[in-house]
Amino acid sequence: MASWSALQTDLGDIILRRLQHHADRVRFGAVCRQWRSCARQNAPPPQFPWLALPDRTFYSLPDSAFQPLPLHLERHRQLPHAQSSCGEWLVFERMDGAYTLVNPFSMSTTMVLPRLPTEPSHAIGDPPPFMKKLVVCSPNLVAAVVGAGWPHRLALCRPGAASWVVVAHDQLNSLHDMIWHRGKLYALHDNQCRLLCISVGEDRDTGEPNVSRVDILAEGSIWELIEPPSPLLYLLESDGALLMVRRGDPNSDMQNPFVGGDSVHYVGLGLERATEFTVFEADLARSRWTELSSVGEDRMLFVQGWCSRAVRIPDRCKDYVTGDRIFFVSDAAARGYNECPYYRKKVSFYCSVYDMRKRRSQMYLGTKVRPLKGFPVAWLFRGSSERAFINK
């Protein structure tokens, strides 16, 4: 009987192309040296994200079993809890206030960031600075939206540096969302949904990153369409276009639903209620936002406060995966598992999907989870470190 290691390379290629899930590709490479070599030589096809759950499991779309998230946190000291994710990274705030970024697809891949700066006027009792958004632009540049007693501002740093550079620029206050695209930062400003293009340079004397230019690309035309309470807004790129996704969520409380008092705890409750989305594309020629009726038959959007992405449906999946949909989870649930009374108890978790053609949302995935302190609900998108994970 022939050995599995004698499998012909071209046949191995065919098998790999049919494996939808990253975990299955990892198992393929673990069989033997020849199969591992075959997996390394074949770049992975476009993949769907993992959905990381607060019980340290993940779900791989489009249809997968719940599996343990491959985290070995004993290798990393002082990681009390995760903030959320940015692309392929889980962001952990350490006990000393600094941050460690851990790639669950390659646990040997980490990045260390300094603690957030405080305002000179910061006094005892004032709220500490917090990170609203983190973007890993490159191995040498990280950008964040930070806030505390001031409007949300842009901060830049080099991984491993001792401090952040908080950008003092009138147009870069009150930032809502931000992405890195084609060598520049793009951000949504709270004022009239302005789309800003931010060019990042380097200080000639210190070598620290700085902002060399800010341009307004689009603004204003949809402000009158947004009625209070303000909806959630997400910025993302899809096939070269810049999209703003407006989420009208009846389950979102503008006041933090987890601070106690008379607030309602929405964890495990909200996504049965209707959530609506409107998608706009930046019309750069006219400097305005244009509403879209579709995000594309071959596209799916995955939105969440810290990281949103558009994913193209691979040709091999088009027979059973439907495009023109938006996948989402409860942002309130993602923020509140650590503080709400459900911590350490089994609670209901929901992931839902909005159909752009039918203009309605429905539950896509429901399960019971027992939240572990500090682990967020987050999308994880595999990046360039996948090969290192296959080799483990």
Side-chain angles (χ1 to χ4, degrees), residues 49 67 91 93 96 109 118 121 142 146-147 149 154 160 177 208 244 248 260 283 290 298 319 329 348 351 361-362 372:
Q67 303 179 50
V91 183
E93 183 180 5
D96 60 2
T109 306
T118 56
S121 58
V142 174
V146 300
L154 174 65
D177 201 359
E208 293 181 336
M244 178 173 62
D283 185 341
T290 301
D298 63 343
D319 290 339
V329 296
S348 298
C351 171
S361 58
Q362 64 184 41
L372 298 174

Side-chain angles (χ1 to χ4, degrees), residues 4 17 54 82-83 113 124 195 206 219 221 252 268 271 273 358 361 384:
W4 280 109
R17 285 198 295 268
Q83 297 281 94
L113 305 177
I124 296 176
L195 175 63
T206 65
E219 65 177 328
S221 61
S252 293
L271 293 182
R273 299 166 63 185
K358 298 179 181 178
S361 58
S384 58

Side-chain angles (χ1 to χ4, degrees), residues 210-225:
N210 61 16
V211 171
S212 58
R213 178 170 176 168
V214 178
D215 295 303
I216 300 175
L217 302 184
E219 65 177 328
S221 61
I222 69 162
W223 183 251
E224 64 274 9
L225 302 178

Side-chain angles (χ1 to χ4, degrees), residues 174-206:
S174 303
L175 297 181
H176 188 87
D177 201 359
M178 180 173 62
I179 63 171
W180 178 259
H181 176 55
R182 293 179 178 174
K184 294 183 179 181
L185 284 168
Y186 292 85
L188 275 179
H189 192 280
D190 279 347
N191 182 22
Q192 297 186 339
C193 296
R194 285 180 180 171
L195 175 63
L196 305 178
C197 176
I198 306 167
S199 300
V200 178
E202 182 177 285
D203 188 286
R204 293 181 179 180
D205 297 326
T206 65

Side-chain angles (χ1 to χ4, degrees), residues 5-128:
S5 61
L7 182 71
Q8 296 181 6
T9 303
D10 55 350
L11 185 55
D13 295 344
I14 294 173
I15 294 174
L16 277 169
R17 285 198 295 268
R18 292 179 176 271
L19 296 181
Q20 307 168 41
H21 307 298
H22 174 73
D24 293 334
R25 297 178 64 87
V26 172
R27 295 188 185 100
F28 181 95
V31 171
C32 62
R33 287 185 179 181
Q34 184 161 333
W35 287 32
R36 185 178 303 113
S37 176
C38 182
R40 294 176 64 182
Q41 293 172 11
N42 283 268
Q47 295 280 326
F48 301 108
W50 286 5
L51 177 59
L53 303 182
D55 59 356
R56 207 186 294 183
T57 61
F58 73 89
Y59 183 89
S60 179
L61 278 73
D63 50 1
S64 172
F66 293 93
Q67 303 179 50
L69 197 64
L71 288 174
H72 304 284
L73 296 181
E74 64 276 5
R75 304 181 189 177
H76 308 284
R77 299 179 179 180
Q78 296 184 331
L79 300 182
H81 67 278
Q83 297 281 94
S84 191
S85 73
C86 55
E88 64 194 280
W89 301 95
L90 278 173
V91 183
F92 289 84
E93 183 180 5
R94 308 191 325 186
M95 296 180 67
D96 60 2
Y99 292 85
T100 297
L101 278 59
V102 179
N103 187 326
F105 307 108
S106 173
M107 284 300 297
S108 61
T109 306
T110 61
M111 188 180 297
V112 178
L113 305 177
R115 64 184 301 165
L116 296 177
T118 56
E119 285 282 274
S121 58
H122 188 271
I124 296 176
D126 288 347

Side-chain angles (χ1 to χ4, degrees), residues 321-333:
V321 176
T322 304
D324 211 10
R325 296 189 296 171
I326 302 173
F327 288 79
F328 63 101
V329 296
S330 168
D331 279 19

